[in-house]
């Protein structure tokens, strides 16, 4: 069974008691304490105090079988996707269908989403960048088209 911090501390207490009674010298105490803090199992700890009157550290609970958990149990959760980034991408994609009306909202949402993503560490930077690019392309394209129409009407 793997040793806990409490198991290690109990072992160090037994070692210090043995030192206080004169059963261990300072060098032996320091060596055993260092080994106690590096021990991985309760059996390793029991060996360190087996020659002392307090004996091995008693196990507090019987050894029980623990079913293995799914590997994903200990993985950190991925960061949440920024909602404004998703909105920027949706507006950017809809630019063609709406005749460019969603281009400016895509640009605004894209810039605010990227600022929030940098500040909070959320996911979705690619969505925000996609919305920004499509929004700017739509806005610049419509601006050029309007300018060309004005120039053509003036000639």
């Amino acid at each position: 069974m793997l040793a806990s911090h409490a198991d290690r501390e109990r072992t160090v207490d037994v070692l210090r008691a043995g030192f206080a009674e004169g059963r261990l010298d300072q060098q032996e105490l320091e060596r055993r304490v260092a080994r106690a803090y590096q021990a991985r199992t309760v059996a390793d700890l029991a060996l360190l105090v087996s020659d002392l009157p307090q004996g091995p550290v008693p196990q507090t609970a019987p050894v029980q079988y623990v079913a293995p958990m799914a590997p994903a149990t200990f993985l950190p959760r991925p960061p949440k996707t920024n909602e404004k980034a998703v909105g920027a991408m949706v507006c950017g994609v809809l630019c063609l269908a709406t005749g460019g009306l969603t281009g400016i909202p895509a640009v605004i949402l894209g810039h605010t989403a990227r600022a929030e993503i940098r500040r909070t560490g959320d996911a979705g930077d690619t969505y925000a960048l996609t919305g920004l690019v499509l929004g700017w392309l739509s806005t610049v394209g419509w601006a050029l088209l309007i300018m060309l129409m004005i120039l053509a009407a003036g000639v």
Side-chain angles (χ1 to χ4, degrees):
M1 179 163 50
L2 293 177
S4 69
H5 295 298
D7 294 331
R8 289 183 189 91
E9 290 301 325
R10 281 191 294 273
T11 302
V12 170
D13 288 342
V14 171
L15 291 170
R16 287 189 179 134
F19 173 73
E21 295 172 353
R23 299 181 191 279
L24 299 173
D25 62 357
Q26 181 70 34
Q27 186 179 14
E28 181 69 15
L29 172 70
E30 290 172 2
R31 186 176 64 79
R32 289 189 187 196
V33 167
R35 286 181 55 200
Y37 284 123
Q38 293 174 352
R40 293 202 25 92
T41 64
V42 174
D44 295 338
L45 294 174
L47 287 174
L48 293 174
V49 295
S50 61
D51 59 344
L52 297 175
Q54 281 91 1
V57 177
Q59 289 186 347
T60 56
V63 177
Q64 297 176 349
Y65 173 74
V66 178
M69 298 179 142
T73 302
F74 298 107
L75 294 177
R77 287 187 163 197
K80 71 176 188 75
T81 304
N82 188 291
E83 293 88 6
K84 290 180 183 174
V86 174
M89 187 183 73
V90 169
C91 287
V93 170
L94 290 177
C95 282
L96 190 59
T98 61
L101 291 176
T102 58
I104 293 174
V107 170
I108 293 170
L109 285 171
H111 281 296
T112 56
R114 292 195 78 198
E116 283 182 12
I117 289 168
R118 274 186 242 114
R119 189 179 71 243
T120 63
D122 289 346
D125 191 53
T126 307
Y127 294 160
L129 190 61
T130 302
L132 270 171
V133 169
L134 293 174
W136 276 116
L137 285 175
S138 172
T139 304
V140 169
W142 280 106
L144 286 175
L145 183 65
I146 290 171
M147 286 178 61
L148 285 175
M149 289 174 58
I150 291 173
L151 286 176
V155 172

